[in-house]
């Protein structure tokens, strides 16, 4: 829920995020504790909430949380024991039980909100009018967002070597919420493009895009050779046919592809 008068530039508003039907145990405030037992949840290390509260407190944002029958209030307080400011979460009992986990963040300005919208593409209006989005199964290709990687609508990282952005339904993240290995990302994006080329509805447009990516040696399709060579992923035969047609169009049917001078000498012989 977001309200702010657009004619007031300096207005600071309140951002409210509510998960209805969800309450959390206090233990989630401990590092390494998580309540997410199944693989369908985004987080799994039990650190995201605590780190978010710490970042908000350091940033000077006021935060209030309603969690079932309790109210939580995070703040930075000086600790004589540690000789430094530490995160403290004060709790109090609510007069009435709430069947939700609600976070209210004060001090969010228009520029903050725009940044949140850019990095949270599951929000209404976060995809700009005229922006291209190519759905491929549960994933989405975002050609107008070079290198931006999202996981189910939430921004993860930006990789400069990728020509397109991607909203991935499933990807393994490390503790810093970034990809474990970039090669995994290259493999995943190549698989997405291969699946798109195998789709009758997407083949014409995506084949043109893949041709451009291949000519530019983009990381997006760097692993497509393995996709074709070993036949894993969807639509391998369709991709082979499309790549062959690209080659013949560019070089003629009698041309022989090589990757080194040695292979060229062998082909000539």
């Amino acid at each position: 829920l977001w309200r702010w008068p657009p004619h007031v530039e300096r207005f600071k508003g309140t951002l409210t995020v509510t998960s209805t039907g969800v309450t959390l145990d206090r233990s989630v405030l401990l590092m390494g504790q998580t309540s997410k037992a199944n693989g369908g949840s985004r987080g799994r290390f039990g650190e995201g909430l605590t780190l978010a509260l710490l970042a908000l407190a350091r940033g000077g944002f006021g935060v209030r949380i309603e969690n079932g029958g309790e109210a939580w209030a995070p703040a930075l307080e000086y600790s004589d024991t540690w000789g430094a400011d530490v995160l403290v979460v004060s709790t109090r009992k609510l007069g009435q039980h709430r069947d939700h986990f609600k976070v209210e963040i004060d001090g969010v300005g228009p520029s903050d909100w725009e940044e949140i919208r850019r990095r949270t593409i599951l929000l209404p209006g976060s995809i700009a009018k005229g922006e291209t989005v190519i759905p491929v199964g549960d994933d989405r290709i975002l050609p107008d967002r070079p290198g931006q990687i999202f996981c189910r609508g939430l921004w993860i990282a930006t990789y400069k070597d990728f020509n397109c952005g991607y909203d991935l339904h499933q990807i393994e993240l490390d503790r810093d919420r970034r990809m474990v290995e970039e090669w995994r990302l290259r493999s995943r994006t190549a698989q997405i493009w291969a699946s798109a080329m195998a789709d009758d509805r997407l083949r014409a447009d995506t084949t043109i895009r893949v041709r451009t990516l291949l000519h530019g040696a983009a990381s997006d399709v760097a692993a497509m050779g393995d996709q074709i060579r070993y036949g894993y992923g969807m639509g391998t035969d369709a991709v082979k046919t499309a790549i062959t047609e690209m080659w013949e169009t560019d070089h003629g049917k009698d041309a022989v592809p090589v990757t080194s001078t040695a292979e060229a000498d062998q082909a000539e012989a």
Side-chain angles (χ1 to χ4, degrees):
L1 178 63
W2 174 254
R3 298 189 181 94
W4 61 277
H7 60 280
V8 181
E9 286 293 326
R10 291 180 170 272
F11 180 82
K12 298 290 186 179
T14 299
L15 176 65
T16 302
V17 182
T18 305
S19 295
T20 304
V22 174
T23 58
L24 301 179
D25 188 85
R26 285 184 180 182
S27 62
V28 298
L29 296 172
L30 301 174
M31 299 294 283
Q33 295 291 321
T34 180
S35 60
K36 298 175 179 179
N38 60 62
S41 301
R42 286 187 176 85
R44 62 191 178 100
F45 294 110
E47 299 169 353
L49 175 62
T50 310
L51 293 176
L53 296 181
L54 178 60
L56 288 166
R58 283 181 173 174
F61 295 90
V63 181
R64 299 179 303 278
I65 298 174
E66 288 184 356
N67 178 37
E70 286 188 331
W72 297 354
L76 289 179
E77 295 184 7
Y78 184 81
S79 169
D80 292 328
T81 302
W82 300 106
D85 289 336
V86 298
L87 178 66
V88 175
V89 181
S90 302
T91 66
R92 65 178 177 85
K93 189 174 182 179
L94 293 172
Q96 183 178 359
H97 186 277
R98 273 79 161 171
D99 188 27
H100 62 223
F101 186 87
K102 181 169 75 172
V103 182
E104 295 181 327
I105 305 170
D106 293 333
V108 180
S111 61
D112 299 316
W113 175 239
E114 287 307 312
E115 182 67 14
I116 291 170
R117 289 215 307 172
R118 281 194 296 270
R119 295 192 173 198
T120 314
I121 58 174
L122 50 82
L123 292 173
S126 59
I127 300 294
K129 186 177 181 180
E131 185 176 348
T132 301
V133 177
I134 306 173
V136 184
D138 292 329
D139 303 305
R140 296 193 292 177
I141 301 172
L142 310 170
D144 301 321
R145 301 195 180 210
Q148 295 186 32
I149 308 301
F150 297 80
C151 182
R152 278 182 270 175
L154 299 181
W155 179 84
I156 300 300
T158 298
Y159 291 89
K160 296 180 180 179
D161 293 337
F162 286 77
N163 288 29
C164 296
Y166 300 89
D167 182 19
L168 307 175
H169 178 72
Q170 195 71 31
I171 192 71
E172 185 178 353
L173 308 178
D174 67 8
R175 301 186 79 90
D176 294 323
R177 277 58 177 179
R178 294 180 182 273
M179 304 303 167
V180 177
E181 297 286 351
E182 190 169 337
W183 68 266
R184 292 183 186 273
L185 179 59
R186 292 196 298 268
S187 177
R188 189 74 189 90
T189 57
Q191 189 177 47
I192 291 172
W193 282 110
S195 298
M197 293 172 69
D199 190 319
D200 293 338
R201 301 165 301 170
L202 303 174
R203 182 176 297 121
D205 178 58
T206 53
T207 298
I208 294 172
R209 293 180 184 272
V210 167
R211 180 176 183 164
T212 302
L213 293 171
L214 287 171
H215 283 186
S219 292
D220 310 57
V221 292
M224 188 163 281
D226 290 338
Q227 295 278 340
I228 296 171
R229 184 177 297 111
Y230 300 114
Y232 60 82
M234 295 178 58
T236 301
D237 290 340
V239 175
K240 284 182 180 179
T241 300
I243 297 295
T244 301
E245 291 175 353
M246 288 182 200
W247 174 264
E248 292 178 349
T249 298
D250 290 342
H251 306 286
K253 292 188 176 181
D254 295 331
V256 179
V258 296
T259 60
S260 66
T261 303
E263 285 188 7
D265 292 341
Q266 184 180 9
E268 185 177 7

